[in-house]
Amino acid sequence: MKEKLYDIEDRLIQFSIAIILANGKLDGSYASQHLSKQLIRSTTSAALNYGEAQSAESSRDFQHKMKLCLKELRESLVNLKIQKGAKLIKESKNQEDLLKENNELIAIFVTSIRTSKNKSK
């Protein structure tokens, strides 16, 4: 079980790194800077909150922290879609990979939260 949790943590960290690298290639426009900074905050927040979830004091605390991660991942997805629509990320292959990973992480967290709630009942 611990190894599987590490895989999610590693994916969140790698996703954050990929976002940082992709957003480092944006133009200097106000929109690019604004969205880039917010996207970096939301993706890194998901990774950091997941780290906190691993030391949750109760199942309720765990679920709360996992929901925070999910919230940040959903915000990241909307941000990426805005950047895609505005054609701010130049490499479309990289952008599609980021969107795919973001969607997969959301699915993992939805399932994990649901499983945790069912175990708590």
Side-chain angles (χ1 to χ4, degrees), residues 26-38 88:
L26 298 178
D27 63 42
S29 71
Y30 175 80
S32 292
Q33 289 184 17
H34 174 73
L35 290 167
S36 172
K37 289 175 184 176
Q38 185 58 38
L88 298 177

Side-chain angles (χ1 to χ4, degrees), residues 12-90:
L12 288 165
I13 291 167
Q14 293 308 313
F15 181 59
S16 295
I17 292 167
I19 291 292
I20 290 167
L21 295 175
N23 279 272
K25 300 173 185 173
L26 298 178
D27 63 42
S29 71
Y30 175 80
S32 292
Q33 289 184 17
H34 174 73
L35 290 167
S36 172
K37 289 175 184 176
Q38 185 58 38
L39 182 59
I40 291 168
R41 281 193 295 273
S42 61
T43 56
T44 57
S45 177
L48 295 169
N49 279 304
Y50 185 75
E52 284 191 30
Q54 299 316 299
S55 60
E57 297 175 6
S58 65
S59 61
R60 188 173 172 189
D61 187 33
F62 174 78
Q63 291 169 19
H64 174 71
K65 287 177 172 63
M66 293 294 280
K67 287 178 184 177
L68 288 174
C69 295
L70 179 58
K71 177 181 163 237
E72 296 293 347
L73 288 168
R74 286 185 170 147
E75 178 182 325
S76 300
L77 182 63
V78 172
N79 190 317
L80 280 170
K81 288 178 178 179
I82 292 169
Q83 289 191 39
K84 179 180 180 179
K87 297 179 179 27
L88 298 177
I89 296 178
K90 306 296 183 223

